[in-house]
Structure formats: C-alpha cells, structure tokens
Amino acid sequence: MKNTIKGDITELEVDAIVNAANSNLQGGGGVDGAIHKAAGAELLKASLALGGCPTGEARITKAFNLPSKYVIHAVGPIWKDGNSNELELLKSAYWNSLVLAHENNCKTIAFPNISTGVYGVPKIEAAHIALETVSKYLNEVNSDISVTFVCFDELNFQIYKELCPTFKLNND
Ligand code: AR6
C-alpha cells in the first residue's frame, strides 16, 4: 500500500526512512541535515564509510538515534534543463531504494520528495515519477511493502494528495 502524509520524516517509526542525500554522502541541508541532526554523529561516520553513491543509486545504513531501523541514502538528480536524464535518474533513485529496502527485509518505508528542494526538480514532474515508480514496483515486483510519502512543504502535500489516489495498486 501507499499513502501520503504531511510531516517530518525523522519522526517516523518505520523500518526505513529514505534520505535525499548528495553523492558524497557527507550530510547537508534540507531533509539530509534534519536526518543527520536527529540520528547523531554516528550516522555521518557510517555514511562516509560507504565511499559515496552515484546519482540514481542508493545505500543503506543503520538509523542510530532515529526511531526507524535504517536510513536509505538515495541520491536524486540536480535539475539542469530537463534534457539531462534528470527524470530517469530520479526514477532510479526511487526504484533502487525499494530494492534495498526489500533486500533488508523492510516492510515499511517512508520517502521524502527527493530532489524537489535545493536540487530543483519541478514538484509536479517529481511527484509523477515518485508515484509511478513506487506503484510499478508494488504492482510488478513486491506488494509486501508499505510506502509513505512524507511531504514537508504545503505545495508537495497538495500535489501528492491529489495525485496519489490516481495511481492504482493491484490490491487497492
Ligand atoms: N522531513 C521530510 N521532508 C523534508 C524535511 C523533513 N524533515 N526537511 C525538508 N524536507 P532537499 P534535494 C523536504 O533540499 O532537493 C541536501 O543539502 C523539502 O521540503 O532536502 O534532494 C543534500 O545534502 C523537499 O520537498 O533535498 C543534497 O546536497 C524535500 O525534502 C541536496 O540537499 C527535498 O529537499 C539534495 O537536494
């Protein structure tokens, strides 16, 4: 199943929260900053030890002081002009996060709106990619995982509230 909420992803008691990370996995601002702040310094040590992550891929660490079990560090694209493979890379970031969640026996996962902050991917396009990719994964690969889209800003929340129900799952 999938659902949308408005809130702070660091507060969720799910198996895995996804971080909108950068490819150095060195922490940063936005949701990345909030996750590192709430998880504590051990998270930075663990993520730096991974040696980076290319755009479109994802890596996993423990969640340390967070209420979730794991943090999946997904690297979304920086928006350039829309013709630089941005949406494909965003799709891969969502897909690879779900694969990693499944490999680590996660049944509940929460995503922020990857790349829609400082990375500048237009919010409506990004929401379509997120919903399409997650729905495809749940319908075609593994329906045994519950996905929450966590919107922090009001505009993303309005977009997801409207779009989410239009992406049907086989078991809806
Ligand atoms: N919980 C959930 N969502 C949040 C939170 C939160 N606590 N805080 C912000 N958001 P951004 P990006 C939303 O900029 O565009 C970092 O510096 C926010 O409203 O965090 O992928 C990294 O290190 C927005 O919708 O990530 C990278 O360098 C969404 O999170 C770079 O920013 C993503 O905004 C990644 O940029």
Side-chain angles (χ1 to χ4, degrees), residues 6-11 18-36 74-78 90 111-121 123 150-154 156 160:
K6 188 166 186 210
D8 179 348
I9 203 166
T10 65
E11 294 173 359
V18 176
N19 182 17
N22 56 64
S23 52
N24 294 321
L25 303 181
Q26 64 187 8
V31 68
D32 194 6
I35 288 172
H36 277 276
V75 183
I78 299 172
L90 187 59
F111 281 98
N113 309 130
I114 300 172
S115 285
T116 69
V118 298
Y119 277 6
V121 174
K123 291 181 180 180
V150 185
C151 303
F152 193 68
D153 59 90
E154 183 59 28
N156 264 319
Y160 272 79

